[in-house]
Every structure is written in C-alpha cells, then in structure tokens.
Amino acid sequence: MSKSAWNTIIEPFKIKSVEPLGFTDPKEREEILRQAHYNIFKIPADKVLIDLLTDSGTAAMSAEQWGALMRGDESYAGARSFFVFEKTVRDLTGYREILPVHQGRAAERILFGFVGGKGKVIPANTHFDTTRANVEVSGAEALDLPVPEAWNFHTGGSFKGDMDCEALEKVLKSKGKSVPLVILTITNNSLGGQPVSMKNIKEVSRICKKYRVPLFLDAARFAENAYFIKLREQCYASKTPRAIAQEMFSHADGCLMSAKKDGLVNMGGFLAMNDPHWAQKAREIEIIGEGFPTYGGLAGRDLEAMSQGLQEVLDEEYLKYRIRSVEYLGEGLQEHGVPIVEPPGGHAVYVNAKEFLGHIPPERFPAQALVCALYLEAGIRTVEIGSLMFGKRNNGKFIPAKMELLRLAVPRRVYTQSHIDFVIEVFGRLAKKREKIQGLKIVEASPILTHFTAKLAPV
Ligand code: F0G
C-alpha cells in the first residue's frame, strides 16, 4: 500500500554519528539469558545486537534537535524553551492548556489522579499497559472496546485500531455518569499497532459529545496514525500529515502524549487539554510529582528537542520511509511462514506466537519463549505482549491473556534496511526449528506490571 517505485527503502537521512552493536556468541547469550532469569528487560543493552524491545525513547535525534539542545533555557520558571514548546504543541493540537511531563505515564498518573477513582470506568479502544495500570491504581476500571476484527489477526483491514462505537454507546448510555472520559489510543499499540480512522475518531467524538463525556487521545504515535489515514482513507490522500494530525486532535478535548515515540526524543511528553478547570487540577498534581508546570520533569533543552521532533515527525518523506520499512519487515517474516498480525502496524510487527509455537500452552508463555529463542539465536531483543504482560492470577488460578504476541518494535531512524534484512534471515532459521523451542514458568513475580520484573525458568 505504501510501496514506491523502488524496492530499496531509502532512509531519508544520512548518518553523522554511529554506535557499535553488541556482538556476542551463542554460549555467552545462553549464560546472559540464564542470569537475566529469561526476562529480556534484565539483559544489558551492550549484549544486544539489534534492539527491537521498544520504539520508545530509542529514536536517533536529528542534527537540528542536537542543535536545539544548546538553545535550552534552564530557568526554573517561565523558561523561554517552555514557550517555544507550548507554541509548537498548541499549533499542532489546538489545545489551550499544555503541561510538559517527563514521559507518557506521568501524564496518565496526573490525569487519572483526579478523574479516576473507585466506581469510575474509563473506556478506550485498548489501553496501553501503563495506562491500564494508572487507571487501575486509581481504583477505576479500564475497559477495552476495540472493534471485533482487531482480534482477527489474519484479516487485513485498514483501521483495525478503531473503537467499537456500538459498544461505547451502550456503556455511555448505561454508565455515563461514572465515565469521566473516553480514550482513543492512536495507533493501537496493544493490539498490533493498528491505526484508527478519521471516520472512527469523528464517530467516537460525536458519541462522546452526545453523552457530554470528554474524549482524550493517547497520541504517542499520532504522526504514524495520520500517515495511515492519508494512505488508506481516500478523502485524505491529498492532505498533508500535519493537516490530518491537526484534524485528529480537533475532534478530541485533550491528549496524553509520550513524546518518546512520535516526538522523536529520548525523554519527554505532555498532557494537553481545553478545560481550564481540569488543567488547574492537573497542575496541582504535577507540581507535587513532576515539577513546576513550565518544565514538568524535563530540562529546558529537552523541551527544545521535543518541539523540533514534533515538527520533523510530520515530514512526509520520513513517514513514507517509516511506514514502509515496518511493512517490509512484516512481509519478510511472512515469506518465511511466520504468522503476524495483519497488516503490519505503524511502529512494529507483531508475531502470533500462539500459532507459531502451537505446542506451547499459554500458561507456559509461548510469546516469551519466542522472545528468548530470538535472543539466543542472534542477540535480537523483542518484547512479549501476552500472558506474561496481561495474564492474571485469581485465587491461584491462572487466567491467560487473549493473545500471545511477540512485538518487534522498530526504533525511529536507527536501523537500516540491512539490519531489518538480518532480522528476517534470523526468523527464517527459527521457523525451521520452532518445535524445539521450550515453554517457560514464572519463578517470582510482582502483581503490577509483572513483565518488567518477573523471573522465569525453562520447563
Ligand atoms: N501510551 C502508549 C500507547 C504507549 O505505547 C506508551 C508506552 C505509553 C502510553 C506510556 O508512555 O513510556 O513514555 O511512559 N509505550 C512503550 C512501548 C513503553 O514500548 O510500547 P511512556
């Protein structure tokens, strides 16, 4: 869909500064994995060859961004860098109240700190894991309402990130008073990085207005979502990604943003909204935990880099390369018979481990087993989105997640097509010996965000 006249994906940048990759041998990797208790978060990064753990905070900054760092004003209050940042975010989103935060989950903690609480329900197309955690820690219920086709990993579908509008209306009709806001995660990270259509954003917005419930976007990957709209929603084909993004924001009342994704920075984020009363409450909480509201846990230079990144990310050549290179990875895996969530997402390809490793039951964490196998094979680091992340324990009984996925998240502007070719080649080898991959069991785990700290062992 996003193919160009050429097969080679030309990265729309040249490289000025490089970092060495961490080469290891198979024996070393076996030992490293054992010492990390089969938890990929515990592996030192210099023992990783290609790091597809996350696209978050891992982007390469541009020369313009590095230059912008020097312009950072480090005044405690009212820094010039804040006003530069505020103008950038206002021009992009149209929201009046802009609060910088150090990363997305800080915005979540602040927002649910005053809108959440016992008895409240927060519907979303799908909550990301930290969003869900922040909703639940506040005492509220995080309710996922994706469209049913989001669960069918084999059907193409242009906008499988959409929210189920019928289900949303039902919830608002019956529980409207306990719903402080509705969230649309663009793109839908937890269910395949699939985009949300403008049609769906508008319809969700209409329903929210009808029941007088504010709509917030979780905008971490807003630019990728905007580009998908340009590619797949005909009436937007001639619009710029920026104009599309502005329209997306215009249908909502505010947003949460982890700028570590489409902000093209290694740290940063913001909370933005129109309601001055909510903004007042948010600032009160922000001062306690993040810092004064004109810096929100960031240095002035971070605000400058973020302003620059938020503009660069909407460059059409960049987005074309970005979406096509992830799609290329997906195609390569499929050529080796690796089942993926179709179509590939904007920032990542998701392998369906339930299918790929059909011999491993969910309680033996097939996706985590595949994560470990991929590291063992060639030092590639990925992440599990399955029962380790979302499985629950109820009175000693294990309730598996609905999906067992392995996510290959592609950092922005970091790897070239040949790195991606290598990942595809490794998968080709793994596909041939998949029956040999063994399941895992949990040895030690904490109840919240288990996957970050759990210790596992092979069975
Ligand atoms: N919302 C979405 C959709 C996300 O993907 C993330 C983070 C957050 C919120 C939280 O932002 O990390 O800046 O606090 N996703 C990362 C990932 C961690 O790997 O997908 P954060």
Side-chain angles (χ1 to χ4, degrees):
M1 198 174 256
S2 50
K3 276 183 194 140
S4 76
W6 305 99
N7 286 329
T8 309
I9 299 169
I10 299 183
E11 288 87 12
F13 47 80
K14 51 187 177 174
I15 298 163
K16 184 181 280 182
S17 179
V18 297
E19 276 183 284
L21 295 181
F23 286 91
T24 48
D25 59 48
K27 269 221 128 38
E28 213 180 337
R29 288 196 292 275
E30 217 169 278
E31 181 54 25
I32 291 165
L33 203 53
R34 214 171 45 75
Q35 280 189 12
H37 299 280
Y38 301 85
N39 185 334
I40 214 84
F41 286 96
K42 294 183 183 158
I43 294 180
D46 61 358
K47 302 294 181 198
V48 174
L49 186 68
I50 298 193
D51 205 346
L52 306 181
L53 176 67
T54 179
D55 64 318
S56 180
T58 50
M61 290 212 297
S62 66
E64 285 297 325
Q65 284 177 292
W66 284 107
L69 292 180
M70 285 305 291
R71 289 197 297 270
D73 173 1
E74 305 302 343
S75 307
Y76 187 93
R80 187 187 60 244
S81 300
F82 169 74
F83 296 109
V84 169
F85 167 75
E86 184 185 48
K87 180 173 185 324
T88 302
V89 178
R90 235 182 231 156
D91 288 351
L92 173 64
T93 65
Y95 304 136
R96 287 185 287 272
E97 310 281 349
I98 319 288
L99 288 74
V101 294
H102 82 277
Q103 65 180 93
R105 68 199 71 180
E108 293 162 2
R109 191 175 45 78
I110 291 170
L111 185 63
F112 298 117
F114 66 91
V115 304
K118 219 170 159 42
K120 300 279 174 65
V121 182
I122 318 282
N125 48 346
T126 312
H127 292 270
F128 179 66
D129 60 347
T130 59
T131 325
R132 170 171 288 279
N134 273 297
V135 169
E136 289 175 353
V137 162
S138 83
E141 181 195 348
L143 183 66
D144 290 340
L145 302 173
V147 284
E149 58 265 36
W151 287 108
N152 188 343
F153 298 153
H154 288 306
T155 54
S158 298
F159 291 104
K160 288 162 73 178
D162 282 356
M163 185 180 240
D164 184 336
C165 289
E166 228 172 85
L168 174 67
E169 181 136 24
K170 244 189 217 160
V171 171
L172 294 186
K173 207 176 225 170
S174 60
K175 303 186 184 169
K177 288 213 162 45
S178 41
V179 179
L181 57 80
V182 171
I183 290 188
L184 266 179
T185 309
I186 54 170
T187 56
N188 189 353
N189 185 14
S190 300
L191 274 182
Q194 304 294 318
V196 179
S197 65
M198 193 71 89
K199 184 164 173 252
N200 191 252
I201 296 174
K202 280 187 192 166
E203 183 58 10
V204 170
S205 171
R206 188 191 65 76
I207 296 169
C208 286
K209 282 198 176 80
K210 181 171 159 191
Y211 292 91
R212 295 173 187 276
V213 174
L215 170 63
F216 270 56
L217 303 181
D218 176 343
R221 300 177 180 85
F222 75 96
E224 289 165 8
N225 200 89
Y227 194 66
F228 276 122
I229 288 176
K230 183 178 171 72
L231 291 178
R232 298 179 182 175
E233 228 171 323
Q234 230 175 20
C235 50
Y236 290 92
S238 61
K239 295 218 159 130
T240 61
R242 185 177 179 80
I244 297 170
Q246 284 168 326
E247 183 179 336
M248 283 165 19
F249 287 114
S250 77
H251 296 301
D253 304 283
C255 73
L256 301 136
M257 175 76 187
S258 167
K260 297 171 73 173
K261 287 82 167 169
D262 274 350
L264 295 177
V265 286
N266 306 116
M267 195 51 75
F270 56 86
L271 175 61
M273 64 193 83
N274 281 328
D275 186 335
H277 303 294
W278 274 22
Q280 171 73 15
K281 288 185 194 172
R283 288 194 179 98
E284 283 162 14
I285 300 177
E286 172 157 51
I287 291 179
I288 298 168
E290 282 284 288
F292 192 72
T294 60
Y295 72 85
L298 293 166
R301 56 181 171 272
D302 297 328
L303 295 169
E304 295 276 353
M306 200 163 35
S307 296
Q308 178 64 26
L310 286 168
Q311 298 180 55
E312 285 176 14
V313 77
L314 288 164
D315 175 71
E316 214 164 313
E317 281 305 324
Y318 161 75
L319 283 168
K320 187 167 133 193
Y321 136 82
R322 170 76 181 154
I323 299 301
R324 176 65 195 134
S325 51
V326 174
E327 184 183 49
Y328 173 85
L329 170 59
E331 288 169 1
L333 298 191
Q334 284 183 301
E335 276 166 27
H336 288 301
V338 178
I340 64 163
V341 174
E342 292 174 54
H347 67 295
V349 173
Y350 296 65
V351 173
N352 188 350
K354 205 183 249 180
E355 220 174 282
F356 190 65
L357 301 180
H359 60 288
I360 304 178
E363 60 273 20
R364 292 289 174 242
F365 308 106
Q368 182 66 11
L370 186 55
V371 166
C372 291
L374 199 55
Y375 178 74
L376 262 185
E377 188 67 26
I380 297 168
R381 180 156 68 168
T382 53
V383 76
E384 190 249 25
I385 300 190
S387 290
L388 184 59
M389 194 181 262
F390 290 122
K392 292 227 181 318
R393 245 162 247 276
N394 206 345
N395 293 329
K397 196 170 170 279
F398 175 73
I399 306 162
K402 260 173 110 173
M403 70 284 202
E404 303 295 341
L405 303 175
L406 167 142
R407 186 186 72 174
L408 300 122
V410 184
R412 293 169 181 78
R413 307 192 291 206
V414 170
Y415 294 115
T416 62
Q417 194 172 1
S418 63
H419 290 117
I420 299 298
D421 281 333
F422 177 73
V423 174
I424 295 169
E425 187 183 339
V426 172
F427 255 101
R429 279 208 200 163
L430 268 190
K432 289 196 186 111
K433 52 182 179 188
R434 63 175 95 174
E435 322 74 46
K436 292 207 181 109
I437 299 171
Q438 288 177 305
L440 298 161
K441 63 176 179 193
I442 290 185
V443 182
E444 205 183 298
S446 66
I448 293 177
L449 296 172
T450 309
H451 56 290
F452 288 129
T453 53
K455 291 184 177 173
L456 298 112
V459 278

